[in-house]
Amino acid sequence: MNAQGYYHRVIDQLKNCYQFSHYVIAVGNELAAEAHDPIFPAIAERVNQLEELTLQRGLQVHIPVIGERSRSVLMPLDFEIFLAEENHKLYLNKETQAELFDQIIPVIRFLENLFRSRGIPYLLDYTPSGGHILFQNLLGYRTTEELKKIGFLEEDLIRACNYIDPNDIRRWYGISLDAAHVFSGLGKIAEYIALLTMKAFSDNESKGLFPVTISDIYDRCINFDNSWCEGSPFMRSIRSPFSLHKKNQEKYGKYHEPPHVDVIGTYFDGKIENEEANINFILDCMWDLEKAADHAQRFCGFIPCSNENLIDFIHEYKSSDLYLFHHDFESQEDIPRGFALKYAKNEKNISDSTRRILYFPNPSALRPKKIIGFVYDFLMHGHWKPKHIANILRDMYQNPSFNWTQDFFKYPADEKANFWARTYSAIALWKAGRLNV
């Protein structure tokens, strides 16, 4: 079965994934000539083009996180096995992939139990390196009102959300600030879930297993890729359930093989759970489009919506040290623009590697593996406030002399700096026993 044949079998389910969307993101090397970004070639088209993008062109497709006219916000919890220069092993063969999945399956089961035990609906979509847990959040309901309350928006992010561009389908309507607050709230819940998981598996390294991390800060880890929480919500999307997954071809040159495919493992409506397929069968489907198409017929394709049980989980987060830390971070005064970097260069209690980033930030100040050490040095050795560490990053991002290629209007500098400084300050404090979850 080829890509188009697979999509013909699953097109009804795939369409249902876009229930709240007015556009679809298509990605892949085939789009290099059409896309604006050659590093991540992607195009955005009206959702009525979904059949042309899939049935005819056989492309990979993503769902926007923000729904049409900001009526919904998707939770795209993303976790994966990360192997640095050996990531190709996940695509080597099914047997090697299955051995590596032994590392992440306990984490996936922990996450599923977290949602099931609280009666929170979710869809688990397996990918060749891990999985996504998805649920929609509709504006105007009590649950999203609670998410909105814990969200926080920087001024530069507000300006980006308010911007309307009739030539960019992502920005036709702008993003309502209510939806942006919900998006921010979901990011904090994702951080809380990641820390709960890190705590549950804190002895992994002593057992010779992969540590659980936020972002790919180690060469071998189980990575909560929370980078979707950072940046403008209108730029965020996640690969759709039932989409092809062509990394085996595009990144590892296996054009003699058919593409892989993302495979649904669980649909939980908050009460009744479907019978989970054996993980070996799930992996079989990833490597066999016909099996994947057959398996897909068990599902309707609709992504479940959150229910009021999520409110109890939000209150659980609000009773944690992490919430207090977030509140304190957002209450701290900023150092005026330009001065934080100046003060940082006079800090005596930091390492040479951290000092080097101050003078040569591009690209180190964009790489989580570098940022985590940078934040730790200023927090634990220099005794800086987390918000002021963010201000250093902000000053570097906003200085054009560093020749950044990133668009800091689409990915606002204040928000970006706050996200990374906040996230890695929380981890440093948690590891030091000064923040409990």
Side-chain angles (χ1 to χ4, degrees), residues 73-236:
V73 184
L74 177 67
M75 165 63 103
L77 201 63
D78 186 358
F79 41 90
E80 63 182 2
I81 300 165
F82 179 72
L83 302 172
E85 298 303 318
E86 295 187 318
N87 243 42
H88 66 277
K89 289 184 176 179
L90 287 159
Y91 301 85
L92 191 63
N93 54 59
K94 187 168 55 181
E95 292 71 28
T96 302
Q97 183 195 30
E99 289 177 12
L100 290 165
F101 257 69
D102 287 342
Q103 295 269 354
I104 200 171
I105 288 301
V107 170
I108 294 175
R109 296 295 169 255
F110 173 84
L111 292 171
E112 290 208 84
N113 183 63
L114 185 151
F115 284 92
R116 287 178 178 173
S117 64
R118 292 161 174 82
I120 301 171
Y122 71 94
L123 184 148
L124 168 63
D125 192 32
Y126 284 98
T127 74
S129 60
H132 303 148
I133 283 180
L134 309 172
F135 56 87
Q136 290 282 7
N137 300 273
L138 303 184
L139 274 290
Y141 288 82
R142 284 186 61 226
T143 303
T144 43
E145 287 300 308
E146 292 299 315
L147 284 168
K148 189 171 71 173
K149 289 176 186 176
I150 61 174
F152 178 82
L153 305 179
E154 292 81 1
E155 289 301 317
D156 61 355
L157 183 58
I158 290 173
R159 287 192 296 272
C161 288
N162 284 335
Y163 183 78
I164 293 174
D165 183 353
N167 297 313
D168 184 348
I169 196 169
R170 299 175 179 89
R171 309 184 82 169
W172 275 1
Y173 313 113
I175 301 297
S176 78
L177 298 189
D178 283 351
H181 273 101
V182 171
F183 176 81
S184 172
L186 287 171
K188 290 178 178 178
I189 293 300
E191 185 179 347
Y192 181 56
I193 291 171
L195 281 173
L196 288 175
T197 311
M198 290 167 68
K199 178 182 178 181
F201 294 92
S202 58
D203 60 351
N204 263 21
E205 283 189 275
S206 65
K207 295 179 179 178
L209 301 172
F210 295 171
V212 179
T213 66
I214 295 179
S215 198
D216 47 8
I217 57 174
Y218 299 126
D219 286 346
R220 298 171 75 83
C221 60
I222 296 168
N223 162 30
F224 274 84
D225 186 0
N226 281 4
S227 59
W228 64 265
C229 309
E230 174 261 301
S232 302
F234 55 82
M235 292 301 297
R236 294 308 183 189

Side-chain angles (χ1 to χ4, degrees), residues 303-319:
I303 295 170
C305 294
S306 60
N307 61 16
E308 294 197 356
N309 291 332
L310 183 59
I311 296 174
D312 293 333
F313 189 60
I314 294 168
H315 290 166
E316 181 183 323
Y317 153 73
K318 291 178 72 173
S319 68

Side-chain angles (χ1 to χ4, degrees), residues 53 83 107 176 179 190 196 267 275 405 411-412:
L53 295 169
L83 302 172
V107 170
S176 78
L196 288 175
Y267 179 97
E275 185 178 344
T405 57
Y411 301 93

